[in-house]
Amino acid sequence: AQRVTQPEKLLSVFKGAPVELKCNYSYSGSPELFWYVQYSRQRLQLLLRHISRESIKGFTADLNKGETSFHLKKPFAQEEDSAMYYCALGGSSGSRLTFGEGTQLTVNP
Amino acid sequence: NAGVTQTPKFQVLKTGQSMTLQCAQDMNHNSMYWYRQDPGMGLRLIYYSASEGTTDKGEVPNGYNVSRLNKREFSLRLESAAPSQTSVYFCASSERTGQKFSGNTIYFGEGSWLTVV
């Protein structure tokens, strides 16, 4: 079975501070991991995926297979980063993408 | 290019009533999904359709039925609505190559807010 855990439901930081949203996964095969973001009352959209090893809007995430983690990081948070963030896991089952519970990030001025 | 379109956006139902949520995508995607989003529980997969003509249960299928009408459309039906089905429902679609998500993105609709009283 595949499982994604985001231990923090709420995270609040000040503008300019570093931010890290935690994601841990459980999967026996070769995982594919994603971060999705949902701004207030908008549709979910892909933020980044581990295979791309890219930085989007200043966010990065590194897959750590030893710790089974895929934490999302940004060195200097901005107010416009306030949103709900979901970590998602896809595996060899193909069509099934499993989402974590989500972390609501608030960046205060 | 509308992407994923779902209707209705808002609906209030009485317990025991039935309704169908409609979803259509114009990206020629093979796979389509229905999720529900509840506070503190994240997104949970109700049903999915890996390709036209197939449907499979997700994590929380009880109380729901689906129909993959054609490649574009994937509807979700509540036969006898219950207050526990009050939620935000998201339809989504993705292209799928092989057995993995590599390089594929799931595209979501804007959500349907359903209240069962």
Side-chain angles (χ1 to χ4, degrees):
Chain A
Q2 53 190 73
R3 183 178 174 83
V4 178
T5 304
Q6 294 179 247
E8 303 140 329
K9 288 188 169 38
L10 301 171
L11 185 61
S12 183
V13 300
F14 286 103
K15 177 182 173 182
V19 62
E20 181 179 53
L21 290 82
K22 290 184 167 53
C23 172
N24 290 93
Y25 69 91
S26 173
Y27 186 65
S28 58
S30 179
E32 297 182 73
L33 285 139
F34 308 81
W35 276 99
Y36 279 79
V37 60
Q38 184 182 29
Y39 300 102
S40 181
R41 297 185 75 82
Q42 293 186 26
R43 68 183 76 200
L44 281 89
Q45 55 188 288
L46 178 68
L47 181 61
L48 53 80
R49 48 190 156 218
H50 89 270
I51 59 168
S52 302
R53 302 186 66 81
E54 57 200 343
S55 173
I56 303 293
K57 299 183 179 182
F59 285 98
T60 59
D62 290 318
L63 176 60
N64 186 323
K65 291 187 177 181
E67 296 183 359
T68 59
S69 68
F70 188 57
H71 302 328
L72 183 68
K73 300 176 184 179
K74 185 170 183 176
F76 308 102
Q78 303 299 314
E79 289 179 68
E80 55 265 30
D81 296 329
S82 295
M84 177 70 85
Y85 291 81
Y86 289 97
C87 183
L89 166 67
S92 57
S93 58
S95 288
R96 296 193 60 157
L97 194 64
T98 300
F99 286 84
E101 303 93 337
T103 297
Q104 179 67 51
L105 173 66
T106 301
V107 181
N108 299 300
Chain B
N1 190 343
V4 179
T5 305
Q6 55 182 110
T7 57
K9 197 170 178 69
F10 300 98
Q11 183 73 49
V12 179
L13 284 178
K14 293 183 179 178
T15 298
Q17 284 186 317
S18 62
M19 77 158 297
T20 300
L21 297 173
Q22 307 284 355
C23 176
Q25 52 91 8
D26 60 5
M27 296 173 282
N28 201 36
H29 285 165
N30 285 315
S31 299
M32 296 186 73
Y33 317 82
W34 277 105
Y35 287 90
R36 59 178 289 174
Q37 182 184 40
D38 301 292
M41 306 194 75
L43 281 163
R44 292 180 293 169
L45 183 65
I46 305 171
Y47 270 94
Y48 67 102
S49 171
S51 60
E52 185 180 356
T54 69
T55 61
D56 286 286
K57 295 179 180 179
E59 302 169 65
V60 288
N62 292 343
Y64 305 94
N65 284 302
V66 290
S67 296
R68 184 74 183 266
L69 304 170
N70 47 55
K71 193 171 185 180
R72 289 188 66 248
E73 298 172 288
F74 188 42
S75 63
L76 178 72
R77 183 161 178 83
L78 287 69
E79 290 291 352
S80 179
S84 61
Q85 294 178 304
T86 294
S87 188
V88 183
Y89 291 85
F90 286 95
C91 179
S93 71
S94 71
E95 187 48 73
R96 175 172 168 260
T97 55
Q99 290 296 310
K100 286 203 164 188
F101 274 107
S102 296
N104 297 334
T105 299
I106 283 190
Y107 294 87
F108 284 87
E110 292 185 311
S112 296
W113 276 255
L114 177 64
T115 301
V116 183
V117 297

